[in-house]
C-alpha cells in the first residue's frame, strides 16, 4: 500500500511542468482566423451576448457552436482547474485573524463572496472571446486593448504560474518528507525536494505529451473530496483535541490552539491575508478562453451556467476544507493544513496521496523550444522552495499582487476597451456593466495593496 501511494505521488508531480507550459504557451498564442478589433463591433451586431448568434458569429466562437466538450465533462474539468493546492492553505488564512471556531463563519462569507466575483470575471473572459474571437488571455488583450501592451498580461500569467508551481513544489517537499517518515525514514523536506527535482521533475521536462497521466487527473476531484471528508471525520471524532488519541503525535506548535478571537476578529486588517489567499485559490482565469472555446454549443447562456455551477461547487469545497481544518487546529493551523496531522494518522496519510491526484495535469503538449524555459523555471522554483516554507505567505502574496490583477483588473480593462471600441453600437447595459467591472477592479487593487502589506509583514 505504501509503495503504491509513493508511486501515485511520483506521477502527480508532473503538475508543475504542465503549469509552466501553459504559461509559456500563452505568450505565443495566435488569434484564430486573424481576428481584429473590427470583430468586436461585428459580434455585438451578431448578438453573441444574448446567445442568439448568427452562423458567422459561431465561426469565431470556435466552429459550429464551439468545441466538443459536453456540459458534464466541462463542469468536471473546470472544478478540477479551480480546486487545487491553494485550498489547503485557507485554514491558515482564517488563523491569521482568529483562533476561535466562530471565526470560520465570516470566513465562509468571504470565501463565497470572493468566489462569486471571481466567477463573474471568469465568465466575462469567455464573453470577451465571443466578442473578439480571441483564443487566449493574451490575445483577448490584443484584440481589445492592443498588441503593444499585450506583454503585460502575458508576463503576469508566467510570473503567477511561478507562484503556483512554487506552491506545488513546497507541498510536494512537505508531503514526501511526511511519507518518508511514515515509511520509517528520516528525510528532511530539503533532501526530499532536491531528490524529486533531480530524479523525477527534470526528466518530465523532456516530455511533450503527458496524456499517459490523464487517468490520474480524472480522480483529482475525488481526492479533494476524500480530503474534505477525512478532515471532517478528524474534527468530529476529536482525535486531535486535548487528550485525543493523536494529539500527542504532532509537534507542540502544530497542536490545536483555540482561543477567544471569533467572528468579530474578521474586522482586523489581518483578514486581508485570507482575502488575498483566495485570489490565488480561485486562480484559473488564464484558462477561461480555453474552457469557453472547448464547450459544446457554447452559447453565453450555457457558458454562464457552466461557470456558475463549477464555481459554486468549488466554493463549497473551499468552505468545507477551510472550516474543518481551522475548527480542528484553530490558531495553530499551518500554511499547509496537512502538516498539522500526524504522520501516524492512516486516514490523513491516505489523504496526502489523495491530494496528489488533484495536482495531476490533463494532456498537455508543447514545443521542444519551451523546454529550456521550463528548466529555468523549475530550477528557480526549487531554489526558492528550499528557502521558503510558509505556503500561506506564497498564497497571500501571489494573490495580492498578480492574482488580483489577473482576476479583477485585467478583465475589467479589456471589457472597457471592448465596449469603447463598439462606439455608438454599445448598448446601455454594456456601458453600465463596464462600471460594475471597473468597480471590481478597484476593489481588487485595494485588496491587493493592503494584502501585500499584510503578507510582507509576516516575513
Amino acid at each position: 500500500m505504501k509503495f503504491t501511494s509513493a508511486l501515485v505521488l511520483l506521477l502527480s508531480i508532473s503538475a508543475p511542468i504542465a503549469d509552466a507550459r501553459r504559461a509559456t504557451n500563452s505568450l505565443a498564442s495566435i488569434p484564430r482566423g486573424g481576428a481584429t478589433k473590427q470583430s468586436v463591433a461585428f459580434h455585438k451586431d451578431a448578438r453573441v451576448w444574448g446567445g442568439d448568434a448568427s452562423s458567422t458569429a459561431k465561426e469565431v466562437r470556435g466552429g459550429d457552436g464551439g468545441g466538443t466538450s459536453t456540459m458534464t465533462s466541462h463542469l468536471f474539468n473546470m472544478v478540477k482547474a479551480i480546486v487545487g493546492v491553494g485550498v489547503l492553505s485557507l485554514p491558515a488564512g482564517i488563523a491569521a485573524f482568529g483562533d476561535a471556531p466562530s471565526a470560520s463563519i465570516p470566513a465562509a462569507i468571504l470565501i463565497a463572496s470572493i468566489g462569486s466575483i471571481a466567477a463573474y470575471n471568469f465568465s466575462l473572459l469567455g464573453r470577451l472571446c465571443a466578442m473578439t474571437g480571441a483564443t487566449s488571455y493574451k490575445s483577448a488583450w490584443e484584440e481589445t486593448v492592443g498588441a503593444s501592451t499585450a506583454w503585460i498580461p502575458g508576463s503576469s500569467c508566467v510570473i503567477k504560474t511561478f507562484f503556483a508551481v512554487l506552491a506545488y513544489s513546497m507541498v510536494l517537499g512537505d508531503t514526501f518528507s511526511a511519507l518518508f517518515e511514515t515509511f520509517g525514514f528520516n528525510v528532511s523536506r530539503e533532501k526530499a525536494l532536491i531528490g524529486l527535482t533531480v530524479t523525477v521533475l527534470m526528466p518530465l521536462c523532456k516530455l511533450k505529451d503527458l496524456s499517459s497521466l490523464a487517468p490520474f487527473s480524472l480522480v483529482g476531484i475525488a481526492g479533494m473530496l476524500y480530503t474534505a471528508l477525512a478532515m471532517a471525520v478528524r474534527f468530529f471524532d476529536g482525535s486531535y483535541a486535548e487528550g485525543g488519541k493523536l494529539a500527542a503525535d504532532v509537534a507542540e506548535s502544530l497542536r490545536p490552539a483555540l482561543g477567544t478571537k471569533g467572528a468579530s476578529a474578521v474586522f482586523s486588517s489581518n483578514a486581508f491575508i485570507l482575502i488575498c489567499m483566495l485570489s490565488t485559490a480561485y486562480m484559473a482565469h488564464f484558462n477561461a478562453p480555453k474552457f469557453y472555446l472547448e464547450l459544446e454549443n457554447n452559447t453565453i447562456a450555457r457558458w454562464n451556467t457552466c461557470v456558475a455551477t463549477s464555481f459554486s461547487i468549488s466554493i463549497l469545497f473551499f468552505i468545507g476544507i477551510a472550516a474543518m481544518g481551522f475548527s480542528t487546529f484553530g490558531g495553530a493551523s499551518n500554511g499547509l493544513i496537512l502538516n498539522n496531522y500526524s504522520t501516524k494518522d492512516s486516514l490523513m496519510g491516505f489523504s496526502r496521496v489523495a491530494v496528489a491526484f488533484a495536482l495531476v495535469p490533463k494532456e498537455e503538449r508543447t514545443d521542444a523550444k519551451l523546454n529550456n524555459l521550463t528548466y529555468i523555471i523549475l530550477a528557480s522554483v526549487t531554489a526558492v522552495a528550499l528557502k521558503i516554507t510558509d505556503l500561506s505567505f506564497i498564497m497571500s502574496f501571489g494573490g495580492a499582487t498578480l492574482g488580483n490583477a489577473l482576476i479583477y483588473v485585467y478583465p475589467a480593462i479589456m471589457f472597457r476597451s471592448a465596449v469603447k471600441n463598439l462606439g455608438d453600437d454599445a448598448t446601455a447595459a454594456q456601458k453600465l456593466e463596464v462600471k460594475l467591472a471597473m468597480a471590481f477592479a478597484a476593489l481588487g487593487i485595494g485588496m491587493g495593496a493592503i494584502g501585500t502589506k499584510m503578507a510582507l509583514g509576516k516575513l
Side-chain angles (χ1 to χ4, degrees):
M1 172 62 186
K2 292 180 179 179
F3 176 79
T4 302
S5 299
L7 179 61
V8 170
L9 280 170
L10 285 172
L11 289 172
S12 76
I13 55 182
S14 57
I17 308 303
D19 278 342
R21 288 173 176 176
R22 288 190 189 99
T24 48
N25 279 335
S26 72
L27 292 177
S29 180
I30 301 175
R32 177 180 59 248
T36 65
K37 288 185 180 180
Q38 293 177 349
S39 64
V40 175
F42 170 79
H43 283 299
K44 187 269 178 184
D45 292 338
R47 300 190 184 280
V48 174
W49 288 100
D52 184 20
S54 66
S55 59
T56 309
K58 287 181 180 180
E59 181 180 352
V60 182
R61 289 188 339 182
D64 186 17
T68 59
S69 179
T70 64
M71 180 72 81
T72 301
S73 174
H74 227 55
L75 286 174
F76 181 90
N77 289 327
M78 286 180 66
V79 172
K80 171 68 171 60
I82 299 167
V83 179
V85 69
V87 67
L88 300 176
S89 69
L90 297 184
I94 305 176
F97 66 85
D99 57 15
S102 61
S104 61
I105 297 175
I109 296 174
L110 286 175
I111 292 172
S113 299
I114 298 299
S116 298
I117 299 174
Y120 165 78
N121 282 290
F122 196 94
S123 170
L124 185 61
L125 287 166
R127 291 160 54 199
L128 281 167
C129 290
M131 292 180 73
T132 66
T135 60
S136 71
Y137 199 108
K138 179 172 175 279
S139 65
W141 182 283
E142 291 174 340
E143 298 301 321
T144 54
V145 180
S148 63
T149 55
W151 61 271
I152 297 176
S155 299
S156 296
C157 286
V158 172
I159 299 173
K160 185 64 182 74
T161 297
F162 178 89
F163 282 103
V165 177
L166 176 59
Y168 291 151
S169 190
M170 293 169 68
V171 170
L172 291 170
D174 288 342
T175 299
F176 269 90
S177 179
L179 281 176
F180 277 124
E181 186 174 346
T182 300
F183 297 156
F185 299 99
N186 185 17
V187 178
S188 67
R189 69 181 296 275
E190 290 79 12
K191 291 180 180 178
L193 182 56
I194 292 175
L196 289 170
T197 300
V198 174
T199 63
V200 181
L201 295 181
M202 289 295 288
L204 283 174
C205 288
K206 299 179 180 180
L207 295 180
K208 295 182 181 181
D209 187 350
L210 302 179
S211 59
S212 60
L213 300 178
F216 293 96
S217 180
L218 294 177
V219 296
I221 296 302
M224 294 304 295
L225 178 60
Y226 172 85
T227 298
L229 293 175
M231 292 172 67
V233 169
R234 286 297 180 242
F235 168 70
F236 287 110
D237 70 11
S239 295
Y240 290 90
E242 186 176 358
K245 62 181 180 180
L246 295 171
D249 291 334
V250 296
E252 184 70 30
S253 61
L254 296 175
R255 295 176 186 174
L258 302 176
T260 59
K261 293 187 292 184
S264 61
V266 74
F267 296 106
S268 165
S269 58
N270 286 332
F272 281 93
I273 293 178
L274 172 63
I275 292 173
C276 290
M277 282 182 176
L278 291 169
S279 292
T280 294
Y282 285 117
M283 171 48 64
H285 290 60
F286 43 73
N287 279 328
K290 171 178 175 286
F291 278 115
Y292 171 74
L293 293 172
E294 291 181 352
L295 176 63
E296 182 182 54
N297 186 23
N298 58 349
T299 64
I300 298 303
R302 282 173 56 82
W303 168 243
N304 285 339
T305 298
C306 196
V307 172
T309 305
S310 59
F311 269 85
S312 295
I313 295 172
S314 301
I315 287 171
L316 292 177
F317 264 113
F318 285 14
I319 291 176
I321 290 180
M324 290 298 98
F326 173 75
S327 296
T328 302
F329 296 100
S333 298
N334 187 264
L336 175 60
I337 193 61
L338 294 183
N339 287 341
N340 284 94
Y341 295 91
S342 170
T343 55
K344 298 178 182 179
D345 186 343
S346 58
L347 184 68
M348 297 308 300
F350 188 75
S351 181
R352 290 184 172 93
V353 178
V355 167
F357 282 114
L359 301 180
V360 182
K362 298 184 297 178
E363 180 178 354
E364 193 73 37
R365 294 184 176 89
T366 185
D367 191 288
K369 294 180 180 179
L370 296 178
N371 278 338
N372 290 335
L373 180 56
T374 303
Y375 290 142
I376 295 173
I377 292 175
L378 179 59
S380 301
V381 163
T382 303
V384 176
L386 291 173
K387 294 294 183 181
I388 300 178
T389 60
D390 186 0
L391 179 62
S392 63
F393 167 74
I394 296 300
M395 299 298 292
S396 58
F397 182 75
T401 52
L402 296 172
N404 281 335
L406 288 165
I407 292 178
Y408 308 112
V409 181
Y410 296 162
I413 293 175
M414 287 188 280
F415 183 58
R416 182 181 64 177
S417 295
V419 173
K420 181 180 179 180
N421 291 338
L422 291 174
D424 295 336
D425 291 328
T427 66
Q430 289 172 333
K431 294 177 180 178
L432 182 62
E433 189 177 4
V434 167
K435 296 181 180 179
L436 176 63
M438 294 306 296
F440 287 149
L443 179 64
I445 293 173
M447 293 190 303
I450 299 175
T452 299
K453 179 180 178 181
M454 300 306 301
L456 292 174
K458 292 184 63 179
L459 293 179

